[in-house]
Amino acid sequence: MSAEPSNANRTQYRLGFWLLLAPIVLWLGLLIILPHIDMVLVSLRERIASRQYEFSFSNYTAFFTEPLYWNTFVRTAVMSILATVLTLIIAFPVSFYIAKVLTGRPKIALFILCLIPFWVSELVRTYGWMILLRETGLISGALQWLGLVDQPVEMLYNDVAIMVGLIYTSMLFMVVPLVTTLDSLDNSLIEAGYDLGGSSWHVMRSIVIPHAMPGIMSGCIVVFMLTLGNYLTPTLLGGKDSLWFTEQIYTQFITRFNWEQGAAFGILLLILSSLIVWLGLKITRQSFTRVMS
Amino acid sequence: MQEDLACTLLSKHFGEFAAVDEVSFSIPRGAFFSILGPSGCGKTTLLRMLAGFQQPDSGDILIKGSSVLHTPPNKRPVNMVFQHLALFPTMSVAQNIAYGLKRKGVPKREHATLIDDVLAKVQLPGYGDKRIDQLSGGQKQRVAIARCLVLNPAVLLLDEPLGALDLKLREQMKIELKRLQREFKTTFVYITHDQSEALVMSDHVAVMNKGRFEQVGTPQELYYQPKTAFVASFVGDSNQYAGTVKEQSGQLITIVTEHGVRLLSHGGQPMPLGSPVTLFIRPEVMQISTSRPEAEQDNCLQVTILRMLFDGARSQLQVETSEGAVLTVALPQTADYQALEPGRSVYVSWQASQCLCFPVATETQPEAVQ
């Protein structure tokens, strides 16, 4: 008697489980896994005549033999790592201040201030930097007015401008995980650190940073991936010579209509980001599940 | 006697509220000193000022004779065991202990010996490599104490560290703390709201209320000779009886209750006739008898048993007097009292010298023990 309803319950439970799981399975399958499988297949073929394709590694060999592709790839990786590190260096004190120094309303206010730039689109935000940095822009004008320079200064279209834009765009994604982990640090641990004779530097190094490590890593992973895959900011602030790898992919797909080459680049970028994230986790001895929880 | 810690007229205000109000005391070397008070009495603020986490508004703190007012917490020769212990979860037991040694500049080759020594003293030999989350509540406690004592502080501050433990373990840790204090000969300043912790462990106890010390003395003095109504009601259990002064001859005071019952009490201070007073009678000083005692008693009341509160050796009897006051009387677990049952009429009697009376304070007092 009692076995039947429990069986029915179990069937119901299973049905509910699969129904809840369905959207995410569909989403992952249709938008992530399927396109990637197709991309791998497309990247591994070569057009030999109109509508005639053949299996080949030529798209990949093209990448390794053409220095422009190669250089852009390495440059994108290095710039992204640098942007991530700089974002961390700027965001850490800000997050510490929000999480540990402020309380009540000012804390919430400052946190919201970090969020406000994200209410406008990335395009408008980047355009804001262009207004400031361009030759006829605010900073150039101010410098001339002050008499520090005697002709307009162009501050756009260089690596520093790209870096500034990338850090600005990434800030929130570093601050949020950092504030969350720092908030969870018991104040008495910091006090105990001082009480046992530690200076601010020691307390930071041996208590606060080890505690915040999962937050630091999750912030870094998100910022790094966003930066590596960013298209708008490097293009607008860096101009023609920004040499960002996503631009290469765009060019192959849209301008040159070479989907095979573009797909190969896409796969290479995926491998690169996975590799660097894996390395980062290995070096800091953090596990991916812990960082993301 | 040389003093390890002394405070003079120490005050701390938060806005209008005086958390600590002109507190002065001194603690002799190697003493176990407790500060006992209800929550919100300012004891935590006082301890945090001693540790250096809060600056007093006025007054001075002297450690081994020199002022530490301008010494930051990491330079003060005091260490603190935090309420929730604050062990560093990212470090092992040995690393937790080594943290302070490193900051103190003890050469690295001496660390292992010092850590092994202190772990042996807190009875956790060989626990150095354990992670903090592998330890039980009592073991964490010992590590937190070891982490401080390895640094040989002039004074060890303890902020209610036993609060999170269950009753059995708390009883064990009380004895253990006392033993450690003897062994290390360090001055302990222990704050707690639990009177039993303070009475069992301390050489001296300060009872704190509303930012002030009500009384400082040995546990026995506080229990048997409380100087204020607050101390009488806060330390130990007491029955409270309201009345007015009828007569005073020397230290013997005659009190009349609302319903005209005459009671005799010891009174430490002169009190004007007719003034309202509160009588404090401890449950264990009252004698229970089934018939009216033959010998003349200072105080004797006929009462009705309301209920029995069985708690082994600490069993109590709740009785109601003819005027409706409820008293709690200790019930000895001997054969004489086995036959008592609710509803029965008995006599309770006590000596005038064993109860105390204080003028009714205008301020609010802690809840009367019923």
Side-chain angles (χ1 to χ4, degrees):
Chain A
M1 279 298 281
S2 64
E4 269 177 51
S6 102
N7 260 348
N9 267 346
R10 190 170 291 177
T11 326
Q12 251 180 4
Y13 172 76
R14 272 209 193 136
L15 187 68
F17 175 74
W18 285 112
L19 276 176
L20 283 171
L21 205 65
I24 190 148
V25 169
L26 281 175
W27 177 54
L28 280 175
L30 291 177
L31 295 175
I32 311 279
I33 298 172
L34 216 61
H36 272 97
I37 293 173
D38 192 53
M39 219 155 83
V40 171
L41 294 177
V42 169
S43 75
L44 286 172
R45 67 186 193 185
E46 189 188 3
R47 189 162 64 173
I48 46 169
S50 177
R51 294 179 187 254
Q52 274 196 329
Y53 298 99
E54 191 171 76
F55 178 84
S56 151
F57 283 109
S58 65
N59 297 314
Y60 291 94
T61 43
F63 168 79
F64 287 105
T65 46
E66 170 59 61
L68 176 71
Y69 298 157
W70 196 196
N71 285 342
T72 311
F73 190 70
V74 173
R75 179 183 138 85
T76 308
V78 171
M79 288 275 280
S80 297
I81 293 172
L82 190 63
T84 308
V85 171
L86 288 175
T87 310
L88 176 65
I89 291 172
I90 299 169
F92 196 86
V94 174
S95 311
F96 189 82
Y97 190 74
I98 293 176
K100 285 290 148 209
V101 181
L102 294 178
T103 49
R105 288 176 76 92
K107 178 176 181 155
I108 298 164
L110 206 65
F111 199 56
I112 289 174
L113 267 180
C114 289
L115 189 81
I116 280 177
F118 288 77
W119 287 6
V120 296
S121 82
E122 195 185 351
L123 196 65
V124 178
R125 250 181 290 144
T126 311
Y127 184 63
W129 278 111
M130 294 176 75
I131 291 175
L132 290 178
L133 296 178
R134 68 184 172 190
E135 213 172 350
T136 51
L138 275 176
I139 296 179
S140 172
L143 288 176
Q144 288 178 74
W145 182 78
L146 286 169
L148 291 171
V149 289
D150 46 16
Q151 60 189 39
V153 209
E154 178 63 275
M155 276 173 275
L156 272 179
Y157 314 127
N158 56 45
D159 285 359
V160 178
I162 298 179
M163 198 51 84
V164 166
L166 287 174
I167 293 171
Y168 180 71
T169 313
S170 314
M171 205 61 182
L172 181 76
F173 303 97
M174 189 65 91
V175 168
V176 170
L178 281 181
V179 167
T180 315
T181 41
L182 288 174
D183 247 340
S184 72
L185 174 66
D186 189 355
N187 279 338
S188 66
L189 286 177
I190 298 177
E191 285 180 350
Y194 282 113
D195 186 67
L196 294 166
S199 61
S200 301
W201 160 245
H202 288 127
V203 171
M204 206 38 98
R205 207 195 55 189
S206 11
I207 295 156
V208 179
I209 291 179
H211 176 90
M213 214 51 206
I216 292 174
M217 277 318 284
S218 80
C220 284
I221 289 173
V222 173
V223 168
F224 175 73
M225 286 179 168
L226 283 175
T227 313
L228 197 68
N230 200 331
Y231 175 75
L232 207 59
T233 309
T235 315
L236 289 181
L237 296 179
K240 275 187 192 153
D241 303 329
S242 65
L243 292 175
W244 208 254
F245 200 65
T246 45
E247 274 173 38
Q248 297 285 350
I249 300 177
Y250 179 89
T251 312
Q252 296 299 337
F253 270 105
I254 309 295
T255 317
R256 301 180 58 180
F257 218 69
N258 188 351
W259 281 46
E260 290 74 25
Q261 191 65 59
F265 285 176
I267 296 295
L268 285 166
L269 194 65
L270 176 70
I271 294 172
L272 176 73
S273 71
S274 312
L275 202 71
I276 292 178
V277 167
W278 177 80
L279 261 176
L281 289 169
K282 268 276 161 290
I283 290 168
T284 55
R285 291 198 217 108
Q286 299 283 314
S287 85
F288 191 70
T289 41
R290 200 178 140 214
V291 163
M292 285 301 156
S293 65
Chain B
M1 196 164 4
Q2 192 170 8
E3 283 150 2
D4 265 352
L5 176 66
C7 291
T8 45
L9 296 172
L10 205 61
S11 292
K12 176 78 185 173
H13 294 258
F14 296 111
E16 285 293 293
F17 176 70
V20 176
D21 194 6
E22 300 198 329
V23 166
S24 301
F25 63 94
S26 65
I27 303 172
R29 172 156 299 178
F32 197 123
F33 186 84
S34 289
I35 299 168
L36 172 66
S39 49
C41 73
K43 56 189 191 300
T44 302
T45 308
L46 177 57
L47 201 73
R48 291 176 63 80
M49 286 196 285
L50 297 180
F53 296 125
Q54 257 157 3
Q55 273 297 315
D57 295 335
S58 59
D60 200 1
I61 302 168
L62 303 165
I63 293 174
K64 289 193 186 288
S66 51
S67 172
V68 293
L69 274 195
H70 302 292
T71 313
N74 53 355
K75 299 278 189 328
R76 288 194 190 190
V78 296
N79 288 117
M80 181 150 159
V81 177
F82 288 79
Q83 189 163 15
H84 301 292
L85 307 179
L87 294 171
F88 306 132
T90 51
M91 304 181 197
S92 69
V93 169
Q95 284 168 333
N96 261 280
I97 299 171
Y99 176 89
L101 292 174
K102 275 188 221 161
R103 302 294 95 89
K104 216 180 159 191
V106 177
K108 202 153 195 162
R109 62 196 136 77
E110 294 170 22
H111 284 193
T113 338
L114 285 169
I115 292 169
D116 287 347
D117 275 359
V118 79
L119 279 177
K121 277 184 184 165
V122 298
Q123 299 181 337
L124 287 175
Y127 275 67
D129 293 331
K130 296 249 184 204
R131 287 199 319 271
I132 297 304
D133 55 17
Q134 289 175 311
L135 303 178
S136 71
Q139 290 169 340
K140 283 183 192 165
Q141 208 91 54
R142 289 161 201 259
V143 174
I145 293 164
R147 185 175 75 170
C148 291
L149 288 179
V150 77
L151 303 174
N152 277 320
V155 179
L156 182 69
L157 308 171
L158 300 105
D159 182 5
E160 300 198 53
L162 304 188
L165 300 180
D166 60 60
L167 189 68
K168 261 265 157 57
L169 200 54
R170 197 151 61 209
E171 295 300 320
Q172 286 172 16
M173 280 308 293
K174 278 186 208 166
I175 299 162
E176 181 69 16
L177 269 177
K178 186 76 193 152
R179 182 188 70 77
L180 284 172
Q181 195 257 337
R182 285 264 159 76
E183 196 168 326
F184 282 89
K185 299 183 181 69
T186 306
T187 307
F188 277 35
V189 177
Y190 187 95
I191 71 166
T192 180
H193 63 272
D194 182 316
Q195 43 145 322
S196 149
E197 284 175 17
L199 297 182
V200 169
M201 292 189 282
S202 317
D203 300 315
H204 289 275
V205 181
V207 179
M208 196 170 181
N209 184 30
K210 297 188 169 176
R212 286 174 172 276
F213 278 2
E214 292 262 338
Q215 187 177 352
V216 185
T218 63
Q220 288 82 356
E221 280 167 7
L222 293 176
Y223 194 82
Y224 294 115
Q225 293 132 37
K227 287 208 175 76
T228 66
F230 179 85
V231 177
S233 59
F234 194 76
V235 179
D237 295 337
S238 275
N239 291 294
Q240 295 182 21
Y241 223 118
T244 50
V245 178
K246 180 86 193 298
E247 202 184 320
Q248 181 167 20
S249 63
Q251 295 205 321
L252 197 67
I253 296 179
T254 310
I255 289 150
V256 180
T257 67
E258 209 184 332
H259 293 83
V261 179
R262 279 169 59 94
L263 295 169
L264 288 175
S265 167
H266 175 85
Q269 55 196 31
M271 277 171 266
L273 295 186
S275 62
V277 291
T278 310
L279 209 60
F280 292 88
I281 314 144
R282 300 219 180 264
E284 70 271 18
V285 305
M286 290 195 270
Q287 299 278 330
I288 306 168
S289 50
T290 47
S291 57
R292 180 173 280 276
E294 285 172 17
E296 182 64 21
Q297 296 287 330
D298 291 341
N299 298 293
C300 184
L301 295 174
Q302 189 180 10
V303 295
T304 315
I305 298 175
L306 276 181
R307 57 183 74 89
M308 330 254 301
L309 306 172
F310 181 77
D311 187 15
R314 290 185 299 174
S315 297
Q316 292 178 320
L317 208 58
Q318 277 199 329
V319 299
E320 191 174 23
T321 65
S322 53
E323 50 183 339
V326 176
L327 299 176
T328 306
V329 186
L331 180 65
Q333 290 298 296
T334 55
D336 301 352
Y337 304 102
Q338 294 285 321
L340 297 182
E341 55 189 27
R344 188 164 168 182
S345 181
V346 292
Y347 293 88
V348 292
S349 54
W350 67 93
Q351 304 274 311
S353 60
Q354 285 180 309
C355 69
L356 287 159
C357 72
F358 294 99
V360 172
T362 44
E363 293 170 296
T364 48
Q365 286 181 16
E367 286 293 298
V369 185
Q370 285 293 315

